[in-house]
Amino acid sequence: MTPPAAPSAGPPPAAPKPDLVIKNVSKSFGGIRAIRDISIEVPPGEVTCLVGPNGAGKTTLFNLITGVMRPDSGSISYGTIELTKRSLAQIVRLGIARSFQDVRLFESLTVLENVEVGVSGAAGRSLAGSILWPRWYLARRRTLLPNAQAILERVGLQDRARTVAADLSLAEKKLLAVARLLATNAQMLLLDEPLAGLDDASSTGILDVLHGLAADGRGVLLIEHNFDVVRALSDRAVFLSEGGVVFVGKPEEITAQTDLSRLYFGESRAAP
């Protein structure tokens, strides 16, 4: 008699997503040391906020991670892959994508078309190529459409799919910028002040989306100046000052330390 078949074990577990590790990174411009021996780890499944006064080195660090600039020393790795000698396009293909403070969209294209352009790059060509030749990618619409529609649902813009991007509200444009990052299949998202210029009501939807992306296992590293946003969104805050890391921990600990609070809020402002 043939014994009963063993029950199926189901699909294999998903491979763990890698950490982004910045180790002993420095960068100088002329005689000015913009980044000084920074070491930070950004794990998947968490939101990490870069905070600190203007000129602390936050944007420079983003430029180093994404291949826009090369560090003078130190290493930046994603899992086992060293990033410091890779191009912007190669880094995007590895699963790291960045948004900018000034929302960069194809204003004359629809919301759906904007996302399709990003999906095109993930499907076989670089994101840089998708920017240079958007019409070529849009010709592949039938194969890209389901993925693009799913991404719009993920950020809550499915009802605005046929709207020209120029006609969106600022909050919707910021959500579309996040959708374009997801279209590259990014697992590590770098966001530069994603809620800048928004009131509390408009910010709520974006906060929910970012929380959801971290809950899905993506890593989120963002620059943010609004401390209420930092406190509501981040699992960890990394405080930069004069190009160096001066604190890593819970956001509320910043206000508990007088020296950090003065750096963040200024001498004349009381911490919230």
Side-chain angles (χ1 to χ4, degrees):
M1 182 175 177
T2 304
S8 171
K17 295 181 173 65
D19 290 8
L20 175 66
V21 179
I22 298 112
K23 187 173 182 180
N24 303 125
V25 166
S26 295
K27 179 68 178 178
S28 296
F29 301 98
I32 299 173
R33 205 171 182 197
I35 295 290
R36 297 183 293 106
D37 198 33
I38 282 183
S39 294
I40 301 169
E41 187 169 327
V42 184
E46 292 187 11
V47 178
T48 303
C49 278
L50 291 179
V51 301
N54 290 332
K58 302 182 292 294
T59 299
T60 299
L61 184 59
F62 264 33
N63 288 337
L64 294 172
I65 294 168
T66 55
V68 175
M69 298 175 181
R70 307 286 187 210
D72 298 330
S73 60
S75 69
I76 302 173
S77 59
Y78 188 50
T80 61
I81 301 172
E82 176 65 30
L83 302 181
T84 53
K85 297 187 185 302
R86 294 182 180 265
S87 68
L88 169 62
Q90 289 172 329
I91 290 170
V92 170
R93 285 198 292 271
L94 289 170
I96 301 172
R98 171 191 183 176
S99 72
F100 292 84
Q101 199 174 131
D102 55 325
V103 183
R104 301 181 181 186
L105 305 172
F106 295 116
E107 296 277 338
S108 62
L109 299 182
T110 68
V111 168
L112 182 60
E113 288 168 341
N114 266 274
V115 176
E116 286 175 321
V117 168
V119 174
S120 300
R125 296 288 293 275
S126 70
L127 179 61
S130 71
I131 293 171
L132 291 172
W133 303 293
R135 294 184 182 278
W136 186 90
Y137 291 101
L138 294 177
R140 302 170 64 190
R141 183 185 185 90
R142 282 184 296 180
T143 58
L144 306 178
L145 186 59
N147 195 1
Q149 289 173 324
I151 290 167
L152 288 183
E153 290 180 11
R154 185 70 183 77
V155 301
L157 287 177
Q158 64 273 19
D159 293 337
R160 302 288 272 163
R162 306 297 175 185
T163 303
V164 173
D167 294 337
L168 297 177
S169 68
L170 179 58
E172 290 170 332
K173 287 181 178 181
K174 288 178 178 288
L175 283 170
L176 181 53
V178 173
R180 282 170 52 81
L181 298 189
L182 297 180
T184 69
N185 200 30
Q187 298 300 308
M188 182 64 65
L189 307 177
L190 278 59
L191 309 173
D192 192 347
E193 294 196 63
L195 289 93
L198 301 180
D199 57 27
D200 290 344
S202 299
S203 298
T204 300
I206 300 176
L207 286 171
D208 290 343
V209 167
L210 297 181
H211 275 302
L213 294 177
D216 288 347
R218 288 180 171 86
V220 179
L221 177 64
L222 61 91
I223 296 171
E224 184 53 63
H225 289 285
N226 185 325
F227 193 73
D228 290 334
V229 171
V230 174
R231 193 159 40 192
L233 184 59
S234 63
D235 297 289
R236 292 185 312 146
V238 178
F239 198 118
L240 302 186
S241 180
E242 297 181 349
V245 176
V246 296
F247 169 82
V248 178
K250 296 292 183 183
E252 53 269 22
E253 295 178 70
I254 293 173
T255 58
Q257 299 185 42
T258 303
D259 54 343
L260 295 179
S261 187
R262 285 176 176 168
L263 278 172
Y264 195 93
F265 300 103
E267 296 285 349
S268 62
R269 285 188 54 190

